[in-house]
Amino acid sequence: MRIDVFSIFPEMISTWLSFGVVGRALRQGVVEIHAQDLRQGAGDPRRSVDDAPFGGGAGMVLAPGPVFAAVEAATAPRPLFLLGPAGRRFDQAMARELSEMESFSLLCGRYEGVDQRIVDHLVDGVISVGDYVLAGGEVAAMAVVEAAVRLLPGVLGNEASSEEESFSDGMLEYPHYTRPAVFRDWAVPEVLRSGDHGAVRRWRQAESLALTLQLRPDLIEARGGLSEEDERLLRRHGYSFLVEPDTRRRSGDAPPRSSEHEPN
């Protein structure tokens, strides 16, 4: 896979590429990532890439000339996505879509925004990483790149990691524990120390369902609600209050589980 990231601060991207799973993927030759400098497309001695907005207003706007020139000179792989608020919300499903592509490019916005002609005539789409404001698209681009690259075969040490983590099956992931078994009188659930792999799997599934119902009921609704098997599993593990008819679809307000519901 090849990924190009266009930014006025390519050093931000280049430095980050040395770390974590993305750095490992680069060293393994699984992915090829290029940090491209948008200022390479500037035609003046100051290497200007922005200008004042027509109609007045605060801030500066990323100009079309330098951006088009930089992208075209680099023969950027397609599709090319702009990181911006008016785009498709980035999620795990989209990360998987990107991971299955041979190549793609990301364009990092800056200043007050980008000239609309960049959106209309240069990029192939817009990606939003959430409903909040960043100073630029670099942090968003890093999130998109890492989420996609870590799904490439051979990048993660344990391939099961990407299959069991949050959002991989439309739900939040179950809680994790490690040694010591007891820390400040807080014990790891006994089932995780039982050696019964079937019981562990059922416990994790129940915990994943319960956590998602409590914190992200919208994800359950997106899956079409709870199945009969889901309901049976939740009841078996002490979460019957989450599957009552009047709370199944609004369980985000459900109270935390009490100690009497601890599974065996």
Side-chain angles (χ1 to χ4, degrees):
M1 171 182 282
R2 172 176 168 171
I3 304 172
D4 282 28
V5 181
F6 290 84
S7 167
I8 64 170
F9 299 123
E11 299 85 357
M12 289 179 62
I13 306 299
S14 299
T15 301
W16 168 74
L17 291 176
S18 303
F19 300 95
V21 294
V22 175
R24 183 186 310 133
L26 284 167
R27 291 188 293 272
Q28 293 174 342
V30 176
V31 65
E32 178 183 340
I33 303 177
H34 299 271
Q36 305 281 7
D37 189 354
L38 283 174
R39 295 189 186 277
Q40 293 292 336
D44 65 309
R46 296 180 60 249
R47 304 179 73 203
S48 302
V49 294
D50 63 326
D51 210 330
F54 278 113
M60 302 292 279
V61 176
L62 202 60
V67 175
F68 272 76
V71 170
E72 292 167 352
T75 59
R78 295 283 179 162
L80 169 64
F81 298 103
L82 169 68
L83 281 308
R88 175 181 169 185
R89 178 72 67 87
F90 186 69
D91 56 16
Q92 190 67 12
M94 189 174 188
R96 187 162 295 281
E97 290 177 23
L98 293 176
S99 74
E100 295 171 352
M101 295 180 178
E102 292 185 1
S103 61
F104 64 90
S105 297
L106 300 173
L107 172 59
C108 302
R110 271 278 158 179
Y111 311 118
E112 188 66 21
V114 304
D115 188 289
Q116 184 62 30
R117 288 164 291 188
I118 296 172
V119 180
D120 294 340
H121 304 292
L122 179 64
V123 303
D124 301 299
V126 183
I127 297 175
S128 170
V129 295
D131 298 336
Y132 47 85
V133 179
L134 297 170
E138 287 76 16
V139 172
M142 293 179 202
V144 171
V145 169
E146 180 165 310
V149 168
R150 67 192 306 277
L151 295 175
L152 296 176
V155 172
L156 296 180
N158 185 346
E159 293 303 318
S161 296
S162 63
E163 298 173 2
E164 297 178 358
E165 60 198 6
S166 290
F167 309 114
S168 59
D169 61 351
M171 297 194 301
L172 299 179
E173 195 174 7
Y174 51 81
H176 295 275
Y177 297 89
T178 188
R179 290 185 288 271
V182 179
F183 175 72
R184 296 185 179 179
D185 296 328
W186 300 312
V188 173
E190 182 63 33
V191 64
L192 297 180
R193 296 180 283 161
S194 67
D196 186 334
H197 298 296
V200 169
R201 179 183 54 78
R202 291 188 294 272
W203 179 87
R204 286 175 170 171
Q205 179 69 8
E207 293 293 312
S208 177
L209 281 166
L211 191 64
T212 307
L213 275 167
Q214 290 174 317
L215 301 180
R216 292 292 304 276
D218 57 301
L219 296 177
I220 297 294
E221 292 178 2
R223 299 171 73 242
L226 295 173
S227 67
E228 292 183 2
E229 182 179 350
D230 291 337
E231 294 185 12
R232 285 195 297 269
L233 188 63
L234 286 167
R235 289 194 176 97
R236 172 186 284 184
H237 288 80
Y239 289 108
S240 58
F241 67 91
L242 288 177
V243 295
E244 296 302 323
D246 61 339
T247 60
R248 283 180 58 188
R249 297 291 179 170
R250 53 183 179 86
S251 55
D253 297 328
R257 187 183 61 178
S258 64
S259 59
E260 65 180 329
H261 291 132
E262 286 293 334
N264 294 321

